[in-house]
Amino acid sequence: MLTVDYNLLDVRKGDMILDAGCGDGRHSFECIARGASVCSMDIDIESLKKTSYVLNYMKEIGDAHKDSRFQVHIGDALRLPFREETFDRIICSEVMEHVSDDNLACSELVRTLKKGGRIAITVPTYFSEAIYGLLTDEYFTSPGGHIRKYLPGKLAKIMRSNNLEIYNIRFRHSFHFIYWMIRCVVGLHLEDHLITKRFRNFLKTSWESKYLRKVESFFDMFFPKSIILYAIKR
């Protein structure tokens, strides 16, 4: 499941990409499948272990492009362990709502992006976060949870103040909006609840169905879970 559109980000073979806050590596996997090289970075060591395992497995079985390379780094978005202008493209998916200083995080991302390079930053929509907050106090009080909500203009302002020119805005994951509503209603801690499990199975089916992806794209216009801002470093 990809939040970022790689065609809009203009990912090309040979690009060096930072997947900042890679989680379990879903965006990193697509990078090496397309022939780009990726640096997968996260602060959570268990997520990095999963990412590293799959990346190595993809290379082993040939699912990765033969020219692609990857590295896995533990790192903090507020103090990126990379030199200035290192990356051609940066993906920062569902990270900004977690960090203590989102302006500093954006500044660090831009510092490591090459001039003319492109970046995609994704965050949950304000609407989805507001609904989840109304359904349960658990959503914003759980350890490691979200600490802020974003209107599109708020994130855009931060990006523009850090020398980024926004060229596209998209909305995604209406089915996941429903999934997290279910989680909030039955209890976020009850991942194995029958309703939660059945809808999660539906999500897996939808990833493999062109028809269901088109249906989800339609509903993305009405209740998306994520907003994606694409920008170029001036």
Side-chain angles (χ1 to χ4, degrees), residues 72-87:
V72 177
H73 280 275
I74 188 165
D76 185 346
L78 302 181
R79 295 181 295 274
L80 293 178
F82 309 110
R83 295 179 180 177
E84 294 182 3
E85 298 188 22
T86 298
F87 301 104

Side-chain angles (χ1 to χ4, degrees), residues 100-143:
S100 59
D101 189 334
D102 51 354
N103 185 69
L104 177 57
C106 187
S107 175
E108 276 290 277
L109 293 170
V110 174
R111 178 183 65 81
T112 62
L113 182 65
K114 293 178 180 178
K115 291 177 182 177
R118 300 191 179 204
I119 183 171
I121 298 179
T122 95
V123 295
T125 63
Y126 190 96
F127 177 72
S128 64
E129 297 287 272
I131 293 295
Y132 303 150
L134 287 172
L135 291 173
T136 176
D137 293 335
E138 196 178 0
Y139 189 79
F140 286 104
T141 58
S142 300

Side-chain angles (χ1 to χ4, degrees), residues 32-91:
I32 66 167
R34 287 179 174 244
S37 294
V38 66
C39 179
S40 307
M41 190 207 79
D42 204 284
I43 201 167
D44 180 57
I45 189 65
E46 292 304 316
S47 294
L48 288 175
K49 287 179 180 178
K50 294 176 184 177
T51 299
S52 179
Y53 175 83
V54 176
L55 288 169
N56 277 293
Y57 184 70
M58 288 179 68
K59 292 290 283 187
E60 182 179 321
I61 66 173
D63 278 357
H65 193 281
K66 61 183 178 64
D67 295 326
S68 64
R69 300 289 183 270
F70 67 86
Q71 296 179 341
V72 177
H73 280 275
I74 188 165
D76 185 346
L78 302 181
R79 295 181 295 274
L80 293 178
F82 309 110
R83 295 179 180 177
E84 294 182 3
E85 298 188 22
T86 298
F87 301 104
D88 301 291
R89 304 286 184 269
I90 293 179
I91 295 169

Side-chain angles (χ1 to χ4, degrees), residues 168-191:
N168 209 307
I169 300 175
R170 292 293 174 93
F171 296 89
R172 297 291 304 276
H173 303 321
S174 54
F175 286 171
H176 280 75
F177 170 81
I178 299 171
Y179 171 74
W180 283 99
M181 280 187 65
I182 294 171
R183 290 283 304 273
C184 289
V185 170
V186 304
L188 286 173
H189 57 288
L190 299 176
E191 292 190 48

Side-chain angles (χ1 to χ4, degrees), residues 8 14 19 26 35 38 101 112 130 155 180 187 189 193 202 212 218:
L8 274 179
D19 186 2
R26 57 197 175 100
V38 66
D101 189 334
T112 62
L155 181 57
W180 283 99
H189 57 288
H193 190 282
F202 166 75
L212 287 175
F218 173 77

